[in-house]
Amino acid sequence: MSNLGTIATDRRTLLAGGAAAALFTPGLALAASGDLPAIRKAAEAGYAASVKRIQDWIALPSIAAENLDMEKGADYMAALAKDAGFQHVEKVATEGAPGVFATLDVGAKRWMGIYFMYDVKQYDPAEWSSPPLEARIVDKPGFGKVIVGRGAVNQKGPQAAFLAGLHAIHAAGKTSPVNLVLICEGEEEIGSPHFRQIVTKPHILAALKKCEGVIIPAGWQSPSDGGVTVNLGAKGIVELELVASGAKWGRGPKTDIHSSEKARVDSPAWRLVQALTTLVTPDGNNPAIDNYFEKVRPLTPREKELIALAGKQLSEADAKKALGVEHFIDDLPWEKTLERLASQPTVNIEGLVSGYTGPGGKTVLPGRAVAKMDLRLVPNMTAEDSVAKLRAHLDKRGFADIEVNVSGGYDPTETDENSRLIKAELATYKRNKVPTTIYPRLAGSWPGAVFTSAPVSLPAGQFGLGHGSGAHAPNEYYVIESSNPKVQGLVGSTMSYVDFLYEIAAAK
């Protein structure tokens, strides 16, 4: 549902108050081009349309985990690309959900790759302050006007801001300073199991090979100082389920039975719990899978140096507040927590499901138990090897009956800080006086490894100004009209992508 009636669209209102201090300052390339005034004016004039673009996109959720509206999501993504001026747009079939491939060729000297995802995480409307698909615009104290909805920051808001940049360039009568290759998928939230099928199609691979690198739009400015972190990589991930069942085990019930039978019947739920306890140390904080650390590459001296610098630039109090925690593991010093975040592979339980989970009690002995898991991987681990180690670990301990059902995953990613991509990001941030921290790798995951590894072999990372939070959680939001002088709103975010493209075009 659109709420454009609540948005002030005249320029004076948009730039009033704290937001005025956060006005976008262009990089040298954009300023020197002479294109800035016209593009900025077009971005401001297109504000209401940009907001509606985000709201309409949120209203159509594609949820890979539920196989919900995947074809519709791809078609919608293709329509958005065409509307933004991409000349060649195609839906790309895979063995799973379709992707989208698009190119914008303006005859420029350089090409830039852009990664989008059109899928979002699941949601429970009962947990939200407003319906998660209505994309309501609300006043958020300390932030300004925000859009609240599933996918608002992960990733539809930042992606729509990038598209708004292309609309502004076109509306201003200008052309993009670089050619663009857009690669979209609909299965990121389940570990991108078929994304490599898209990227390695010969004509798509050939297009990517021309690019300077690949970015995923992001809205991660810190509300305390407006700072951003430039990650030189990301952890890999494996998403999977461990399933214990009476049917596979040959013991316990094949379906739920009365709990009084526990006096004489084995429990698949307890068997799963016993298996899970072997995967980590007793405190649950360190993986204990046999040989799990065999290929882990220690932090390099440069990575340790970057982490030490990050420890001085980033706020421990802000991090704890954002996470809603009072302690880190073992009450470690701040810098040590940053080292663990960058260097430690993990074994995490996302959810445990067995038997009856509704109101009150129901005296059953479940015939099946499921643990939803994710493994985070660091260089030089691989998804394939990590799953093999998990399987061997369980088998060695007599848990051969426990199923390991992998839904998706990919390897860690790394990008050289001296690449043209990273230098362009840093230059754009610096000229906007945005505090910047360089960090070895994002503790979260995105399928950048598909780009950084062979056969594509390109630099890849995140970029963007603006702010949002609540990814995967209730009340996810994206700031569109900032009251915080440190954080860009939607127009500033839009202009940051324009500036970045000009920076890539001019970078040496």
Side-chain angles (χ1 to χ4, degrees):
M1 177 183 294
S2 175
N3 292 278
L4 289 176
T6 66
I7 305 171
T9 56
D10 82 281
R11 187 168 183 252
R12 289 188 301 275
T13 305
L14 275 174
L15 305 184
L23 275 179
F24 176 81
T25 304
L28 294 179
L30 176 54
S33 72
D35 295 347
L36 172 64
I39 297 175
R40 173 81 200 196
K41 183 178 180 181
E44 291 170 1
Y47 173 76
S50 298
V51 171
K52 188 174 188 301
R53 192 175 297 115
I54 299 172
Q55 291 180 303
D56 290 348
W57 202 357
I58 288 172
L60 177 64
S62 300
I63 302 176
E66 299 175 357
N67 195 27
L68 175 67
D69 286 341
M70 304 314 295
E71 293 291 337
K72 287 182 181 178
D75 290 338
Y76 199 83
M77 180 68 255
L80 285 172
K82 289 177 183 176
D83 190 46
F86 285 87
Q87 301 125 331
H88 172 84
V89 180
E90 66 177 279
K91 190 159 75 169
V92 184
T94 74
E95 293 176 5
V100 174
F101 165 64
T103 55
L104 174 61
D105 187 350
V106 297
K109 179 176 68 173
R110 289 187 175 141
W111 289 76
M112 187 67 211
I114 310 296
Y115 167 85
F116 275 16
M117 50 185 277
Y118 65 82
D119 65 317
V120 298
K121 272 294 186 186
Q122 307 93 310
Y123 55 85
D124 180 354
E127 298 175 342
W128 289 64
S129 60
S130 60
L133 301 186
E134 279 194 10
R136 286 186 186 174
I137 296 169
V138 303
D139 289 311
K140 189 173 180 65
F143 293 91
K145 289 189 182 299
V146 305
I147 293 178
V148 177
R150 175 51 82 228
V153 70
N154 184 24
Q155 289 287 124
K156 292 178 177 179
Q159 290 173 173
F162 180 88
L163 295 177
L166 300 184
H167 281 278
I169 291 171
H170 178 74
K174 310 298 181 181
T175 56
S176 172
V178 294
N179 309 309
L180 297 174
V181 174
L182 181 66
I183 308 289
C184 317
E185 67 161 321
E187 297 179 320
E188 197 281 339
E189 297 292 12
I190 59 170
S192 304
H194 303 102
F195 186 48
R196 189 171 289 274
Q197 293 180 12
I198 299 171
V199 169
T200 55
K201 288 186 181 296
H203 68 297
I204 297 177
L205 179 59
L208 280 169
K209 283 284 195 178
K210 302 175 187 176
C211 293
E212 294 296 323
V214 180
I215 62 160
I216 174 175
W220 296 345
Q221 277 192 282
S222 166
S224 63
D225 65 358
V228 296
T229 297
V230 174
N231 296 291
L232 302 179
K235 289 183 176 179
I237 191 172
V238 178
E239 285 208 271
L240 57 88
E241 290 182 345
L242 297 185
V243 182
S245 66
K248 287 281 187 180
W249 187 17
R251 306 184 67 84
K254 292 182 176 61
T255 60
D256 293 1
I257 60 175
H258 197 278
S259 66
S260 64
E261 293 295 336
K262 184 65 199 80
R264 61 180 181 179
V265 178
D266 292 299
S267 166
W270 279 116
R271 182 160 179 79
L272 179 61
V273 169
Q274 290 163 355
L276 290 172
T277 60
T278 74
L279 302 182
V280 291
T281 52
D283 61 6
N285 291 334
N286 296 290
I289 297 170
D290 293 341
N291 303 313
Y292 197 58
F293 287 83
E294 176 187 30
K295 295 186 178 182
V296 169
R297 192 202 73 204
L299 291 171
T300 66
R302 176 57 176 161
E303 287 173 334
K304 289 181 179 180
E305 180 183 4
L306 290 173
I307 290 170
L309 289 171
K312 296 172 183 174
Q313 295 171 309
L314 301 175
S315 166
E316 180 176 10
D318 285 353
K320 286 180 175 177
K321 181 179 179 181
L323 295 169
V325 302
E326 296 180 6
H327 300 275
F328 288 122
I329 285 173
D330 298 331
D331 292 314
L332 290 170
W334 174 230
E335 187 175 319
K336 290 296 182 184
T337 70
L338 294 175
E339 285 188 4
R340 280 185 64 95
L341 199 59
S343 66
Q344 181 82 352
T346 62
V347 175
N348 178 58
I349 298 174
E350 299 175 354
L352 290 169
V353 184
S354 184
Y356 177 71
T357 59
K362 184 180 181 184
T363 50
V364 295
L365 192 171
R368 190 173 185 269
V370 179
K372 294 180 178 291
M373 311 279 298
D374 63 64
L375 315 178
R376 300 280 176 174
L377 315 177
V378 300
N380 295 321
M381 302 172 79
T382 67
E384 183 179 6
D385 181 67
S386 299
V387 172
K389 283 181 166 64
L390 171 61
R391 179 73 272 170
H393 174 97
L394 292 171
D395 292 351
K396 181 179 176 181
R397 285 157 181 78
F399 294 110
D401 56 286
I402 291 184
E403 300 170 58
V404 179
N405 299 327
V406 177
S407 60
Y410 39 82
D411 299 342
T413 178
E414 294 188 275
T415 288
D416 187 342
E417 68 176 299
N418 294 311
S419 64
R420 190 175 280 139
L421 175 73
I422 298 300
K423 286 182 175 181
E425 291 190 14
L426 292 172
T428 306
Y429 289 141
K430 182 178 180 180
R431 289 172 182 144
N432 276 275
K433 297 180 174 58
V434 173
T436 305
T437 303
I438 304 176
Y439 195 65
R441 71 188 50 86
L442 180 69
S445 303
W446 75 291
V450 178
F451 299 120
T452 59
S453 64
V456 184
S457 304
L458 290 175
Q462 304 83 33
F463 176 81
L465 295 180
H467 172 80
S469 191
H472 299 192
N475 301 324
E476 179 181 355
Y477 69 90
Y478 184 64
V479 176
I480 56 169
E481 189 176 326
S482 179
S483 63
N484 181 339
K486 302 291 187 181
V487 172
Q488 294 290 342
L490 180 56
V491 173
S493 174
T494 295
M495 291 303 297
S496 76
Y497 296 114
V498 175
D499 190 21
F500 174 76
L501 296 181
Y502 276 81
E503 189 67 39
I504 282 289
K508 296 179 181 178

